[in-house]
């Protein structure tokens, strides 16, 4: 396990096993995941920013992850560009920042690494001047053309209800990347193989086809990665949880109750 010489909360993660061990050590601790690549110029500067944040917020666990070396970890967090930063508390997603945006990253870490101050009723803005009176003989500007009517956006309640219906479409539902016959990430491929090995019937939903569902499920199930396995309408877990439940015999009991 590699640590920065000056900060005990900063870890240069070298393996999937090390990543899992660090993340499972304290599920109440806030963790900052820094996904980077050596050939991406913005990463070099942001890596220094991350190290400074680790020093400033020593209660936050900071994990430096080279995306290409730990591809499975990067895929599980939907990392498509570097740098990407994921802020977690246990399995709960707190924030996600893509790109070399030091200010936004600093604000996110500051907000979640300590108790946020209560909002003040006063404002820091200077008092505004009173509106000017418009003379009766002033020439009025022509009325602006009406804005085109935008398509009705799905409300958060409607999206949640849609996700719940998808979760209840069958007794076992797998939210994955791709399809069972053509999975698009290693974790999804392994999960499909295990379910088939267990001889259970399941339906699937490709989260790559619907970004709204993809993001909503992370909040609904308080689980930031995919695949997600749903049993009888309830979130069961990801790949690791599935493996553990099979080893413990819990999954066999679930199957018996279907």
């Amino acid at each position: 396990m590699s640590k920065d010489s000056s900060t005990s909360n900063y870890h240069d993660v070298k393996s999937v096993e090390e990543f899992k061990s660090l993340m499972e050590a304290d599920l109440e601790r806030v963790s900052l995941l820094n996904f980077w690549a050596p050939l991406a110029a913005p990463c070099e500067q942001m890596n220094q920013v991350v190290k400074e944040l680790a020093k400033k917020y020593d209660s936050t666990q900071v994990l430096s992850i080279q995306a290409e070396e730990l591809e499975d970890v990067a895929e599980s967090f939907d990392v498509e560009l570097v740098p990407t930063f994921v802020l977690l508390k246990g399995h709960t997603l707190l924030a996600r920042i893509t790109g070399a945006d030091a200010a936004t990253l600093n604000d996110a870490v500051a907000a979640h690494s300590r108790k946020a101050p209560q909002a003040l009723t006063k404002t820091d803005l200077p008092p505004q001047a009173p509106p000017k009176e418009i003379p009766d003989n002033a020439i009025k500007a022509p009325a602006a053309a009406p804005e085109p009517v935008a398509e009705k956006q799905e409300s958060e309640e409607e999206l949640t209800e849609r996700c719940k219906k998808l979760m209840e479409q069958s007794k076992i539902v797998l939210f994955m990347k791709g399809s069972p016959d053509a999975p698009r990430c290693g974790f999804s491929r392994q999960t499909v193989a295990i379910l088939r090995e267990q001889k259970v019937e399941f339906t699937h939903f490709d989260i790559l086809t619907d970004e709204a569902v993809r993001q909503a499920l992370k909040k609904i199930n308080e689980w930031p990665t995919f695949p997600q396995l749903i049993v009888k309408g309830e979130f069961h877990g990801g790949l690791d949880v599935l493996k553990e439940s099979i080893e413990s015999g819990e999954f066999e009991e679930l199957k018996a109750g279907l």
Side-chain angles (χ1 to χ4, degrees), residues 131 184 191 216:
R184 294 182 60 184
T191 304

Side-chain angles (χ1 to χ4, degrees), residues 66-79:
Q66 191 168 327
E68 293 177 353
E69 287 190 355
L70 297 181
E71 186 177 359
D72 282 348
V73 177
E75 280 187 353
S76 73
F77 285 94
D78 303 328
V79 174

Side-chain angles (χ1 to χ4, degrees), residues 8-257:
S8 60
N9 60 320
Y10 180 93
H11 304 271
D12 187 9
V13 181
K14 297 298 185 183
S15 68
V16 175
E17 291 71 22
E18 181 184 1
F19 172 77
K20 290 179 180 178
S21 175
L22 289 167
M23 290 300 297
E24 293 171 359
D26 185 356
L27 295 178
E28 292 301 313
R29 190 178 189 182
V30 173
S31 296
L32 171 63
L33 314 185
N34 170 27
F35 292 95
W36 64 282
L39 299 180
C43 292
E44 184 176 351
Q45 176 186 0
M46 292 304 296
N47 284 349
Q48 295 304 314
V49 171
V50 168
K51 287 185 178 180
E52 290 303 315
L53 288 173
K55 294 176 183 177
K56 186 175 182 180
Y57 301 103
D58 57 3
S59 64
T60 298
Q61 176 173 243
V62 179
L63 307 185
S64 176
I65 303 166
Q66 191 168 327
E68 293 177 353
E69 287 190 355
L70 297 181
E71 186 177 359
D72 282 348
V73 177
E75 280 187 353
S76 73
F77 285 94
D78 303 328
V79 174
E80 298 174 351
L81 298 172
V82 289
T84 289
F85 308 96
V86 178
L87 203 60
L88 301 166
K89 184 175 183 181
H91 296 301
T92 302
L93 179 65
L94 302 177
R96 181 187 182 92
I97 299 105
T98 301
D101 190 342
T104 300
L105 177 61
N106 182 77
D107 290 346
V109 175
H112 294 290
S113 295
R114 62 188 180 197
K115 185 177 180 181
Q118 297 295 318
L120 300 177
T121 56
K122 67 178 183 179
T123 175
D124 294 329
L125 296 175
Q128 298 190 11
K132 295 181 179 178
E133 294 185 3
I134 302 176
D136 292 337
N137 61 350
I139 299 175
K140 295 182 179 179
E147 293 287 339
V149 178
E151 292 185 11
K152 183 183 177 183
Q153 296 293 319
E154 188 175 31
S155 69
E156 186 174 350
E157 292 76 14
E158 291 170 336
L159 177 58
T160 299
E161 181 62 27
R162 183 159 68 93
C163 288
K164 292 291 186 182
K165 288 180 179 179
L166 289 171
M167 292 169 64
E168 296 169 353
Q169 64 180 285
S170 68
K171 292 182 178 179
I172 298 182
V173 186
L174 180 64
F175 289 90
M176 61 179 293
K177 293 181 181 179
S179 67
D181 292 330
R184 294 182 60 184
C185 84
F187 287 101
S188 293
R189 185 179 300 107
Q190 290 182 59
T191 304
V192 168
I194 290 174
L195 291 175
R196 286 175 170 172
E197 185 180 286
Q198 291 292 313
K199 294 180 171 54
V200 296
E201 294 184 3
F202 65 96
T203 58
H204 83 283
F205 184 89
D206 182 0
I207 52 100
L208 298 178
T209 64
D210 195 321
E211 185 64 21
V213 169
R214 179 180 184 173
Q215 298 304 325
L217 285 173
K218 295 179 182 181
K219 294 182 180 179
I220 293 170
N221 296 327
E222 296 185 350
W223 196 266
T225 62
F226 290 93
Q228 293 186 8
L229 187 65
I230 311 300
V231 179
K232 297 175 70 173
E234 298 292 331
F235 176 66
H236 180 69
L239 175 59
D240 288 342
V241 173
L242 174 60
K243 288 179 177 178
E244 290 171 3
S245 66
I246 290 172
E247 290 175 1
S248 68
E250 178 190 354
F251 194 71
E252 195 65 33
E253 295 178 6
L254 284 175
K255 288 196 300 179

